[in-house]
Amino acid sequence: YQDSIRPETPAIFFDVQGFESLADFSLTPNITGVTSWSDRRRLFNWIRRAMPDVRDIYSVTGVGLIDKETTFEVERLEEFTSENFTFHDWSIYSLEEIQDKAASIPHHGLIYYQLLFEDAGGKKHIPLKALEEIVASSSVPVVSSFDQFIGTGTIGGFMFSIEEVAAKS
């Protein structure tokens, strides 16, 4: 709506995920920004190498607007790997249900935490706090694609860095 609001005002955006470059957009000359791309394929390849016994990946994400715009559904996650993983969609559960289920995942499982702003029960969360609660109750390792979650109990892997994206801009 820039043309109808303030057409002469420059606009800058940050962190539009899912696009590898500004070339993916049709931008006017006074709009620019930084895109980001988290390569889940590299993460799942790392999981296969680092934890070859993992067969089941439990995807944790929310159901809110921000959750849906910034995370991948299980069907899309399956596109990122040709490995023999079975993905399980836990977006259908509340945080409390996720914690209960996380406590009894078999040893060949792994939790992939994307983001959880709003759970299936309609409760709002701070993603970092939700992750800490899941890690505390999980019987298996938890991985994430975002380096800002380092120090919460998630384990390594290939992670997206907001600082790195900002430094390149």
Side-chain angles (χ1 to χ4, degrees):
Y1 300 102
Q2 184 185 25
D3 287 342
S4 62
I5 299 171
R6 301 280 306 210
E8 71 283 353
T9 304
I12 301 171
F13 59 86
F14 176 76
D15 200 27
V16 177
Q17 291 195 18
F19 298 93
E20 294 190 50
S21 75
L22 290 178
D24 294 330
F25 293 93
S26 297
L27 301 175
T28 61
N30 62 342
I31 297 177
T32 190
V34 177
T35 63
S36 62
W37 179 254
S38 180
D39 189 349
R40 269 72 169 185
R41 186 170 287 108
R42 288 178 70 184
L43 173 66
F44 295 126
N45 286 337
W46 176 84
I47 290 169
R48 177 54 63 212
R49 287 189 313 274
M51 296 170 279
D53 292 338
V54 169
R55 295 190 311 267
D56 292 292
I57 297 180
Y58 300 85
S59 173
V60 174
T61 188
V63 298
L65 181 61
I66 294 173
D67 297 304
K68 290 180 183 248
E69 289 180 354
T70 59
T71 61
F72 291 95
E73 296 172 340
V74 165
E75 294 78 20
R76 182 77 195 277
L77 293 175
E78 290 170 339
E79 292 174 18
F80 289 113
T81 180
S82 61
E83 303 298 331
N84 295 321
F85 295 129
T86 300
F87 287 89
H88 305 272
D89 181 4
W90 279 12
S91 68
I92 61 173
Y93 301 118
S94 69
L95 177 57
E96 292 77 18
E97 291 170 317
I98 291 169
Q99 288 177 272
D100 287 344
K101 291 182 170 301
S104 60
I105 297 174
H107 75 280
H108 55 80
L110 175 92
I111 293 177
Y112 173 48
Y113 181 82
Q114 295 189 70
L115 289 173
L116 183 59
F117 282 99
E118 180 181 344
D119 68 25
K123 187 173 177 186
K124 308 285 191 216
H125 300 281
I126 298 169
L128 181 67
K129 298 291 183 192
L131 173 58
E132 289 172 340
E133 292 180 37
I134 292 166
V135 167
S137 62
S138 182
S139 63
V140 296
V142 179
V143 297
S144 177
S145 293
F146 302 101
D147 71 348
Q148 66 261 35
F149 294 142
I150 293 173
T152 61
T154 60
I155 61 170
F158 179 77
M159 299 182 131
F160 171 77
S161 171
I162 290 175
E163 286 186 27
E164 184 178 311
V165 169
K168 289 180 180 178
S169 59

